[in-house]
Amino acid sequence: MNILAIETSCDDTGVAILKCDKKNCQLLSNVISSQIELHAPYGGVVPNLAARAHLENIQLCLNSALKEADNCKIDLIAVTVGPGLIPSLQIGVNFAKSLAYAWQKPIIGINHIKGHIYANWLTDNNIIFPALCLIISGGHTQLALMTGYDQYELIGQTRDDAAGEAFDKVAKLLGLGYPGGPILSQRAQKGNSEKFKLPRPMINEHNFDFSFSGLKTAVLYEIKKTGSLIKPETDNYINDMSASFQQAVIDVLIHKTLKAAEKYKIKNIMLSGGVAANQELRRQISKVMKEKLPETKLRIPETKFCTDNAAMIAAAACFSDKREHWSEIIANANLKF
Ligand code: KG4
Ligand code: ZN
């Protein structure tokens, strides 16, 4: 079965074609049109500009994806229906519905968060349940227990900011620009993670919830101590603060994930979402798991499948038996997990 997937939940226009059965996924094409340059001057994503850019790009992305996949026959259309920015979602959803109508193909609406989880299947199909998925994106930070395909239990989540949101906000405080997470993590490579003593919010609480807004405030207070209200002055300060902040986030994420893995006797731990592209997190969690949970296998998607892409939406569609009529597909900005 060849699945054509469309992803426009935020600022990346993605179109991918995946040839798959449940045992084997082969990516025939994966086209992404990034809008970083468009939004950078505003320091964040401007929803209406994002929607306009999706509209301009989506047909071009489709043409490239079909060409790369040798104009193969399409059996199913998959599209992200939420959560996300409604103007952006609506472009992808309406485009996908038009294709389903014109080509007379079945269509399936995919939850963006589930797409992030299924990104793990693009790299490795042998995931063993019960599995635990740490979803760390710009809008979500969740720990999901997976006991089978499409069988999830949310065991923890952030009570305020998402991990990626915290990276982006702290990057802004440090004057690092947009997109914050990747820039901050590059600066962190050159810094001393022990320079600033920042809190590890909720690390010792007996639950699997997270909180990152206090950590961001702690960074703000540290910056204010320098007497600078706009942004810190020196490169060394920025590098050290980036490294100290990043380490605080990593400590909490790893501690809670391993605790949950022990409690639920997890066979596989998966990472998903943009923050899973963070090299230091990837390195540290692999190391700690080898020492503390040698029997549990860690799965992390390739970095290009951690951030938003349409291949992960196709993978999620591959593992769902649901088929819908185009008229049933509706974008929902607040779609729940
Ligand atoms: O999953 P994603 O592409 O979009 C959402 O669904 O939100 O995640 C984007 C988030 C942003 O907050 C971005 O700053 C963060 O992922 N991110 C990173 C890195 N790359 C992307 N955060 C930390 N380190 C990175 N290398
Ligand atoms: Zn995402």
Side-chain angles (χ1 to χ4, degrees):
M1 176 173 61
N2 293 337
I3 303 176
L4 174 90
I6 293 173
E7 154 65 42
T8 63
S9 65
C10 190
D11 61 337
D12 290 310
T13 317
V15 180
I17 299 173
L18 186 72
K19 180 182 164 79
C20 60
D21 54 47
K22 284 182 183 162
K23 290 191 190 84
N24 201 3
C25 289
Q26 189 195 349
L27 196 55
L28 302 182
S29 58
N30 184 32
V31 176
I32 296 179
S33 168
S34 162
Q35 301 179 10
I36 286 179
E37 281 177 25
L38 176 67
H39 301 289
Y42 304 94
V45 179
V46 183
N48 285 341
L49 290 184
R52 197 195 298 164
H54 284 310
L55 197 55
E56 283 166 9
N57 294 333
I58 198 159
Q59 181 72 52
L60 300 172
C61 290
L62 174 70
N63 295 348
S64 307
L66 285 170
K67 194 170 167 207
E68 248 179 73
D70 286 333
N71 287 308
C72 66
K73 176 175 147 283
I74 300 297
D75 303 297
L76 173 67
I77 294 166
V79 62
T80 304
V81 285
L85 303 171
I86 200 70
S88 292
L89 286 166
Q90 273 169 341
I91 303 296
V93 164
N94 288 335
F95 191 76
K97 285 167 78 164
S98 310
L99 289 180
Y101 174 75
W103 293 350
Q104 289 293 295
K105 297 290 173 195
I107 183 167
I108 172 172
I110 298 289
N111 182 311
H112 181 77
I113 303 303
K114 292 184 183 170
H116 274 304
I117 293 178
Y118 280 96
N120 283 278
W121 273 261
L122 289 167
T123 310
D124 182 346
N125 244 358
N126 297 314
I127 289 169
I128 302 167
F129 301 112
L132 181 69
C133 192
L134 174 66
I135 304 144
I136 33 180
S137 68
H140 294 79
T141 299
Q142 296 174 327
L143 266 172
L145 173 65
M146 249 183 122
T147 47
Y149 293 111
D150 240 349
Q151 288 170 17
Y152 316 89
E153 186 191 338
L154 202 58
I155 59 167
Q157 59 187 319
T158 183
R159 296 193 181 168
D160 39 58
D161 291 351
E165 188 181 355
F167 266 91
D168 295 337
K169 286 178 174 171
V170 169
K172 217 172 211 173
L173 290 176
L174 293 171
L176 293 180
Y178 165 86
I183 305 176
L184 188 146
S185 69
Q186 278 165 17
R187 299 298 292 260
Q189 280 176 9
K190 301 179 213 147
N192 171 5
S193 62
E194 291 174 12
K195 179 81 182 184
F196 297 100
K197 302 279 169 270
L198 296 173
R200 270 62 178 159
M202 300 186 72
I203 199 162
N204 291 320
E205 286 192 16
H206 297 294
N207 56 47
F208 301 114
D209 284 347
F210 303 90
S211 164
F212 293 108
S213 85
L215 179 56
K216 169 201 67 196
T217 310
V219 172
L220 177 64
Y221 284 147
E222 279 294 337
I223 295 174
K224 281 189 174 165
K225 281 189 207 164
T226 65
S228 165
L229 289 178
I230 307 161
K231 69 183 180 80
E233 295 302 321
T234 71
D235 267 356
N236 279 348
Y237 184 99
I238 293 172
N239 295 345
D240 290 342
M241 184 58 87
S242 297
S244 302
F245 163 78
Q246 177 176 272
Q247 192 56 51
V249 175
I250 290 176
D251 283 350
V252 179
L253 293 176
I254 294 182
H255 183 87
K256 294 246 164 173
T257 304
L258 265 62
K259 267 248 142 81
E262 275 169 3
K263 175 168 177 186
Y264 292 99
K265 303 197 170 23
I266 291 299
K267 298 253 188 343
N268 286 188
I269 291 179
M270 300 181 271
L271 302 190
S272 298
V275 183
N278 185 284
Q279 293 303 321
E280 195 52 26
L281 170 65
R282 295 163 83 98
R283 191 186 68 75
Q284 290 189 27
I285 194 167
S286 332
K287 183 165 175 275
V288 176
M289 279 184 60
K290 274 189 198 123
E291 288 159 15
K292 295 197 174 160
L293 292 178
E295 307 282 296
T296 310
K297 199 154 184 195
L298 176 68
R299 321 258 178 185
I300 315 179
E302 283 177 49
T303 43
K304 67 177 176 199
F305 298 135
C306 290
T307 45
D308 290 348
N309 65 87
M312 68 185 195
I313 302 303
C318 174
F319 289 94
S320 172
D321 294 325
K322 212 163 90 185
R323 298 290 177 266
E324 291 161 283
H325 185 257
W326 61 266
S327 60
E328 296 167 281
I329 302 285
I330 297 166
N332 178 356
N334 302 313
L335 189 65
K336 293 279 169 273
F337 182 58

